[in-house]
Amino acid sequence: MNPIFEEIKDAIVDGDEDLAIELAEKVVAEKIDPVQAVQQGFIKGIEEVGAAWTSGEAFLPDVMMAADAMKAGMDVLEEVLAAGEGEGAYEDKGKIVLGTVEGDIHDIGKNIVGALLTSAGFKVYDIGIDQKAEDFVAKADEVGAKIIAASSLLTTTMQSQKVLVEYLDANKLHDKFKVIIGGGPTSKKWGEDIGADGWAETADEAVLLCQQLFNN
Ligand code: B12
């Protein structure tokens, strides 16, 4: 494994934004695989901080600093990730509307899902955080997306994923748009229970899921 991935992980754990940017720039300059940098570096770092917070070894400001460092580094990588399969490739792969559900402001996982989907050739319309069911649907309608992807990191806001599916069903739009869900507290079973069309545990599984859904 390239030692830079470990350095990236440590930069995130330390909440060192400048170093995260510097290392991401090095990934770009030296043509190191950006997907590996995300998976082996950035995600590993934020996971470590998350675990430390959960066990009481880290505090909220530590998490916020790590999240900021993560964002700053990911911003640098976004362009090379988007260039993944060449310009215009998305036209063939399909359009996806992505967002974090109502009541939830977590966006690190969502952004990674967006980056990897983009890098796999999909056109991703990221509508941001704290989004209502009708906002997801309005955007999907506007751009002609086939998939709506909804992220939730809180047990309370998981309910908003259910509301999204119910909204589509109630408006007879579920044939038009498929819904996929994900995020920390969600599960395959939760996806099945609420009538979602798919669930993925990680961003790379989200890519496989979208590839399957677009082929059907
Ligand atoms: C970073 C973080 C924050 C940051 C968010 C910064 C940001 N810009 O996102 C800050 C500090 C702001 C924050 C705030 C809060 N947080 Co917080 N946060 C976290 C933390 C540490 C990491 C989350 C994360 O980014 N993980 C890394 C990413 C890469 O993983 P991920 O999001 O799961 O995403 C992956 C997959 O799930 C999947 N995926 C994600 N989305 C989607 C979508 C689709 C469609 C698909 C297919 C896949 C997919 O792919 C991703 C990549 O592989 C977690 C702890 C943890 N261990 O997860 C707590 C955690 C989620 N937070 C928690 C809480 C309670 C809060 C607060 C309520 C705290 C408070 N008291 O204010 C607020 C919430 C405010 C709100 N209304 O949303 C709890 C939730 C508990 C629960 N079960 O409900 C957790 C679990 C911490 C804990 N153990 O208590 N948080």
Side-chain angles (χ1 to χ4, degrees):
M1 195 171 76
N2 192 320
I4 195 173
F5 300 152
E6 189 73 19
E7 292 176 50
I8 292 174
K9 190 201 84 181
D10 291 345
I12 301 305
V13 172
D14 296 341
D16 191 334
E17 195 172 322
D18 291 341
L19 185 57
I21 292 173
E22 193 184 305
L23 292 168
E25 283 171 350
K26 198 168 164 197
V27 167
V28 176
E30 296 182 6
K31 298 194 171 15
I32 295 163
D33 183 347
V35 175
Q36 286 291 311
V38 172
Q39 288 172 336
Q40 304 301 327
F42 287 101
I43 295 183
K44 290 272 189 300
I46 197 77
E47 280 176 353
E48 197 170 307
V49 177
W53 187 23
T54 305
S55 65
E57 290 159 56
F59 301 96
L60 200 57
D62 302 315
V63 180
M64 292 174 86
M65 281 170 69
D68 287 346
M70 175 108 187
K71 263 198 173 156
M74 287 294 296
D75 280 351
V76 175
L77 290 188
E78 221 147 66
E79 205 173 311
V80 278
L81 285 167
E85 300 223 353
E87 247 177 84
Y90 68 85
E91 292 296 352
D92 298 324
K93 299 277 174 72
K95 294 175 181 167
I96 298 166
V97 167
L98 171 70
T100 301
V101 295
E102 186 173 14
D104 201 321
I105 62 162
H106 293 87
D107 66 358
I108 295 173
K110 166 185 74 63
N111 295 346
I112 292 170
V113 170
L116 294 201
L117 285 172
T118 304
S119 117
F122 293 100
K123 176 70 179 165
V124 177
Y125 297 86
D126 188 336
I127 59 169
I129 54 174
D130 191 14
Q131 295 291 320
K132 290 187 167 59
E134 46 269 52
D135 298 329
F136 280 95
V137 176
K139 189 68 185 176
D141 219 10
E142 177 198 325
V143 302
K146 182 170 168 187
I147 294 179
I148 294 175
S151 179
S152 157
L153 262 286
L154 299 171
T155 37
T156 45
T157 60
M158 281 163 73
Q159 295 304 322
S160 302
Q161 295 176 324
K162 185 167 181 250
V163 169
L164 172 61
V165 178
E166 285 169 352
Y167 180 88
L168 285 175
D169 289 337
N171 290 285
K172 302 199 170 25
L173 288 168
H174 206 157
D175 284 347
K176 195 169 169 190
F177 308 114
K178 290 193 192 307
V179 181
I180 66 165
I181 60 152
T186 66
S187 63
K188 190 169 195 299
K189 182 173 184 306
W190 171 246
E192 286 165 1
D193 287 350
I194 66 171
D197 302 286
W199 167 82
E201 185 160 20
T202 61
D204 30 342
E205 285 172 22
V207 171
L208 294 176
L209 178 61
C210 289
Q211 284 164 344
Q212 281 164 10
L213 289 173
F214 271 104
N215 284 335
N216 286 332

